[in-house]
Amino acid sequence: MASWVLSECGLRPLPKIYPKPRTWFYSNPLKIKTSPVFSPVFSDLKSISCCSKSSFSTNSRERKWEVKVSAPSRVAPTPSIEENINGVDEFNPGAPPPFKLADIKNAIPKHCWVKNPWRSMSYVVRDVAIVFGLAVTAAYFNNWIVWPLYWIAQGTMFWALFVLGHDCGHGSFSNDPKLNSVAGHLLHSSILVPYHGWRISHRTHHQNHGHVENDESWHPLSEKLYNGMDFLSKKLRFTIPFPLLAYPIYLWTRSPGKSGSHYDPNSDLFTPNEKKDVITSTACWSAMVASLVGLSFVMGPIQLLKLYGIPYVIFVMWLDLVTYLHHHGHDDKLPWYRGEEWSYLRGGLTTLDRDYGWINNIHHDIGTHVIHHLFPQIPHYHLIEATEAAKPVLGKYYREPKKSGPLPFYLLGVLLNSFKKDHFVSDTGDVVYYQTDPDL
């Protein structure tokens, strides 16, 4: 990662916010003193994105996050809040925020950036032990009371393994790129995910989050692309359970409107110097497939389906559910951006935190997603603390998640409601919102 240094920054009071007759939101933006190497759009996105090959340089590993900065104790009212004629504040989520990315970073305690490989490995040991324990228990009892419970529990644990591999892909697992790569391949290959292929495309997602055309996963369909789909394709895309089974298809063919495969080193997903990494990951994935085929001869295909196949499907449903709801389904419409309106900060502020009840700890607090999207270098075990520290800066741009019961069944209602309303965005405009097809 290109390294950068932040200077001390102060926060000046915002200018007076005028009543609604004025049509602009941001005529006098907040002035913050920052180093010239830092910009709100992040000219070098690699410095805050998922770990690319170049991000494993010695300079990156030796980077010091303990920058002596003074974080603002509070942030003045955002200029995206106007006073309407009834005297009630209205918040415009598509307006530029009054703070910079540096302000959020400075508010986060410096120890939240520290990566502890021993702690990261302890989560791997814990999860792998649970996975094998569940499999042995289910095979031992081998009855139809235990199997459904096993499938749900094991599918959830496969998802937990994915999240740890996801940390490896971001470089938040440790500062050692070799450890990240080895652990990432073992974790992801075991659940049929091509580690490097996915890591690179996921980096693209983080670098372009909230951008209509350039985002990589669960980005909106343009009106033209949507209207070009036949009715059955539209129905399948927005009807459960089909969207929750999309991930394996995405790995092979990407999203509608995009081409390429996560397994093909010649795909336009990858640069020429990334081909070797993709070949390595595809080989590891192929070895896992061969192992499963061999196991089917040893224990029988039905037993393998019960022990591995159905939990894999549950894992895929978890992955699609969580990743979709991190970018969709809020009670208020979330903006998507194009052109000059898009910036790394504004795109990241369209992400959502979600509460999963008991599952929060099991899947390593991946529901604490806003700060993760803005600063993917922060290890998962520091995300909650970092989020609490950043909330005073974020203000209304942070959307407090609804509290879940022990199990997050309420999210199914959120998902269904989003599928009913969030169908496409306009082909024109640089700040757009989902529109609904009344005929679907």
Side-chain angles (χ1 to χ4, degrees), residues 134-243:
L134 288 172
V136 169
T137 301
Y140 176 79
F141 286 101
N142 194 23
N143 67 66
W144 290 104
I145 297 176
V146 172
W147 281 118
L149 299 175
Y150 166 77
W151 293 332
I152 295 172
Q154 192 71 299
T156 303
M157 290 310 304
F158 281 12
W159 166 235
L161 294 180
F162 176 89
V163 175
L164 292 178
H166 160 270
D167 281 6
C168 294
H170 281 299
S172 60
F173 190 86
S174 77
N175 286 321
D176 184 347
K178 291 183 179 179
L179 176 60
N180 293 336
S181 183
V182 171
H185 274 99
L186 291 175
L187 291 164
H188 274 188
S189 298
S190 69
I191 49 176
L192 297 180
V193 176
Y195 172 69
H196 279 308
W198 166 85
R199 174 185 64 79
I200 294 166
S201 72
H202 190 66
R203 178 189 66 202
T204 302
H205 166 55
H206 270 258
Q207 289 177 340
N208 297 278
H209 47 209
H211 194 289
V212 174
E213 285 85 19
N214 297 340
D215 203 343
E216 177 60 29
S217 57
W218 287 122
H219 61 90
L221 293 172
S222 67
E223 188 171 6
K224 180 180 180 180
L225 184 60
Y226 179 84
N227 290 335
M229 298 169 64
D230 59 72
F231 181 79
L232 180 60
S233 297
K234 295 177 184 177
K235 197 69 177 175
L236 291 177
R237 179 175 174 84
F238 297 103
T239 303
I240 289 179
F242 301 104

Side-chain angles (χ1 to χ4, degrees), residues 35-313:
S35 171
V37 299
F38 190 89
S39 71
V41 184
F42 248 78
S43 59
D44 183 6
L45 285 173
K46 291 182 180 179
S47 62
I48 37 73
S49 64
C50 312
C51 53
S52 64
K53 199 169 185 181
S54 62
S55 68
F56 292 137
S57 66
T58 303
N59 290 337
S60 176
R61 293 197 298 273
E62 294 177 352
R63 172 176 50 207
K64 299 294 184 181
W65 286 109
E66 298 81 355
V67 183
K68 295 182 179 179
V69 293
S70 56
S73 58
R74 62 178 180 174
V75 173
T78 67
S80 59
I81 301 174
E82 293 185 319
E83 185 181 341
N84 67 18
I85 57 176
N86 296 319
V88 179
D89 287 342
E90 291 181 349
F91 173 66
N92 177 11
F99 48 82
K100 306 295 184 182
L101 199 63
D103 301 317
I104 308 172
K105 180 183 183 298
N106 295 344
I108 297 173
K110 60 184 181 181
H111 67 264
C112 290
W113 304 90
V114 178
K115 308 163 192 177
N116 185 336
W118 293 104
R119 185 171 182 179
S120 296
M121 283 302 302
S122 72
Y123 289 109
V124 173
V125 172
R126 182 195 77 174
D127 288 1
V128 170
I130 293 173
V131 165
F132 278 99
L134 288 172
V136 169
T137 301
Y140 176 79
F141 286 101
N142 194 23
N143 67 66
W144 290 104
I145 297 176
V146 172
W147 281 118
L149 299 175
Y150 166 77
W151 293 332
I152 295 172
Q154 192 71 299
T156 303
M157 290 310 304
F158 281 12
W159 166 235
L161 294 180
F162 176 89
V163 175
L164 292 178
H166 160 270
D167 281 6
C168 294
H170 281 299
S172 60
F173 190 86
S174 77
N175 286 321
D176 184 347
K178 291 183 179 179
L179 176 60
N180 293 336
S181 183
V182 171
H185 274 99
L186 291 175
L187 291 164
H188 274 188
S189 298
S190 69
I191 49 176
L192 297 180
V193 176
Y195 172 69
H196 279 308
W198 166 85
R199 174 185 64 79
I200 294 166
S201 72
H202 190 66
R203 178 189 66 202
T204 302
H205 166 55
H206 270 258
Q207 289 177 340
N208 297 278
H209 47 209
H211 194 289
V212 174
E213 285 85 19
N214 297 340
D215 203 343
E216 177 60 29
S217 57
W218 287 122
H219 61 90
L221 293 172
S222 67
E223 188 171 6
K224 180 180 180 180
L225 184 60
Y226 179 84
N227 290 335
M229 298 169 64
D230 59 72
F231 181 79
L232 180 60
S233 297
K234 295 177 184 177
K235 197 69 177 175
L236 291 177
R237 179 175 174 84
F238 297 103
T239 303
I240 289 179
F242 301 104
L244 299 183
L245 302 173
Y247 185 65
I249 300 172
Y250 164 73
L251 290 177
W252 282 104
T253 63
R254 296 179 74 189
S255 303
K258 296 180 183 289
S259 62
S261 170
H262 289 74
Y263 303 94
D264 180 8
N266 297 312
S267 169
D268 58 6
L269 269 168
F270 315 117
T271 60
N273 64 347
E274 292 169 335
K275 288 184 178 182
K276 188 175 181 180
D277 288 341
V278 177
I279 291 172
T280 300
S281 295
T282 301
C284 292
W285 180 90
S286 301
M288 182 62 189
V289 171
S291 299
L292 292 173
V293 171
L295 283 173
S296 70
F297 286 103
V298 174
M299 64 178 62
I302 300 301
Q303 188 73 349
L304 182 66
L305 178 68
K306 291 190 293 185
L307 283 171
Y308 186 91
I310 297 178
Y312 172 78
V313 173

Side-chain angles (χ1 to χ4, degrees), residues 359-389:
I359 310 297
N360 286 330
N361 180 265
I362 295 173
H363 70 186
H364 308 293
D365 293 309
I366 194 60
T368 312
H369 208 67
V370 177
I371 290 300
H372 163 69
H373 246 273
L374 293 173
F375 304 107
Q377 314 95 329
I378 296 178
H380 73 264
Y381 41 83
H382 291 316
L383 285 175
I384 293 177
E385 182 181 0
T387 298
E388 290 300 319

